[in-house]
C-alpha cells in the first residue's frame, strides 16, 4: 500500500481532494496542517505570529517525518511543506507525490470565497494574485519534482485512474 502525498499551493484542493481520494482508496486521510495544530495546540496563524515561520517549519518537518511509518495514507501537505528541510525528497520516499497545479487566479478566487484571513504567508499582501504568483514561482522547483503533476481541477476518480499504475 503506497501512500499518496498531495503537494501544491494553499487552496489548490489538497484537503478536499485528499479526503475524496482516501475514501475511494479505503485509505486514511491525514491533513498535515491539522496535525500541526493538534501538536502545538494552536492554530497556524497564531503559531506563525507567536513563534515565527522557522519554528513552524521545524514542527511541520518533524510531523511529516513521523508519518513515514504509516501505510495506506493520503496526506495533504501544507503549501510550503515541500520547500523546507529536504521535505520534498522525503515526500518522494514516503509514497507517490502529486502536485496539484492550480493557477494563481483560481487560487485567489478560492481564498477570497473562504472569507477569513487564515493564511499568514499572505498577510498584508497588496495584490493577492501577484503574491500567489510570486509564491508559485518560488515553489515550482520543489512542486515539479512530484511523481504526477495535475493541471487545474481534477476529480478524485480521475486522479485515482492516474495513480493506479503506480499503486
Amino acid at each position: 500500500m503506497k501512500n499518496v502525498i498531495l503537494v501544491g499551493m494553499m487552496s489548490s484542493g489538497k484537503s478536499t481532494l485528499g479526503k475524496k481520494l482516501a475514501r475511494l482508496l479505503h485509505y486514511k486521510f491525514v491533513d498535515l496542517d491539522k496535525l500541526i495544530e493538534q501538536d502545538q495546540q494552536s492554530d497556524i496563524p497564531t503559531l506563525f505570529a507567536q513563534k515565527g515561520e522557522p519554528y513552524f517549519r521545524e514542527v511541520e518537518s518533524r510531523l511529516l517525518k513521523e508519518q513515514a511509518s504509516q501505510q495506506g495514507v493520503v496526506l495533504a501537505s501544507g503549501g510550503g511543506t515541500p520547500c523546507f528541510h529536504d521535505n520534498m525528497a522525503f515526500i518522494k520516499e514516503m509514497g507517490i507525490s502529486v502536485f496539484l497545479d492550480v493557477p494563481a487566479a483560481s487560487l485567489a478566487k478560492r481564498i477570497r470565497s473562504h472569507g477569513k484571513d487564515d493564511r499568514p504567508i499572505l498577510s498584508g499582501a497588496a495584490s493577492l494574485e501577484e503574491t500567489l504568483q510570486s509564491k508559485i514561482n518560488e515553489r515550482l522547483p520543489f512542486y515539479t519534482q512530484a511523481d504526477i503533476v495535475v493541471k487545474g481541477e481534477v476529480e478524485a476518480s480521475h486522479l485515482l485512474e492516474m495513480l493506479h499504475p503506480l499503486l
Side-chain angles (χ1 to χ4, degrees):
M1 289 180 101
K2 288 189 181 174
N3 295 323
V4 178
I5 303 90
L6 303 176
V7 301
M9 287 293 292
M10 61 194 83
S11 292
S12 62
K14 298 180 301 284
S15 296
T16 303
L17 186 61
K19 289 174 189 170
K20 292 175 183 174
L21 184 62
R23 274 195 298 274
L24 289 173
L25 287 167
H26 304 288
Y27 278 21
K28 177 182 172 190
F29 174 72
V30 175
D31 186 320
L32 189 57
D33 284 347
K34 298 286 182 239
L35 282 182
I36 294 166
E37 290 178 343
Q38 290 167 2
D39 182 77
Q40 296 295 298
Q41 299 178 341
S42 171
D43 63 25
I44 290 173
T46 303
L47 195 56
F48 255 75
Q50 292 180 347
K51 303 220 174 159
E53 186 176 8
Y55 177 84
F56 172 82
R57 297 299 177 192
E58 288 288 336
V59 170
E60 177 182 60
S61 187
R62 173 179 56 82
L63 292 172
L64 172 68
K65 290 179 172 92
E66 285 177 8
Q67 295 304 303
S69 62
Q70 302 278 344
Q71 286 200 336
V73 167
V74 174
L75 183 131
S77 70
T81 305
C83 310
F84 297 88
H85 304 291
D86 290 323
N87 287 342
M88 192 61 198
F90 183 79
I91 286 168
K92 289 181 65 65
E93 289 173 18
M94 194 177 155
I96 303 163
S97 52
V98 179
F99 168 34
L100 302 180
D101 187 2
V102 177
S106 298
L107 295 173
K109 186 176 175 185
R110 292 176 186 182
I111 290 167
R112 283 188 194 102
S113 74
H114 292 165
K116 57 182 179 176
D117 183 17
D118 62 351
R119 309 291 183 166
I121 277 305
L122 300 176
S123 301
S127 163
L128 183 56
E129 275 185 52
E130 283 178 25
T131 302
L132 286 166
Q133 190 58 59
S134 175
K135 278 285 172 207
I136 290 168
N137 294 344
E138 185 182 301
R139 294 174 174 180
L140 269 176
F142 299 96
Y143 291 159
T144 55
Q145 293 175 44
D147 300 310
I148 296 174
V149 176
V150 178
K151 293 222 178 252
E153 303 269 333
V154 65
E155 291 296 321
S157 57
H158 182 63
L159 180 53
L160 181 59
E161 288 172 22
M162 296 168 76
L163 284 166
H164 230 331
L166 302 173
L167 289 172

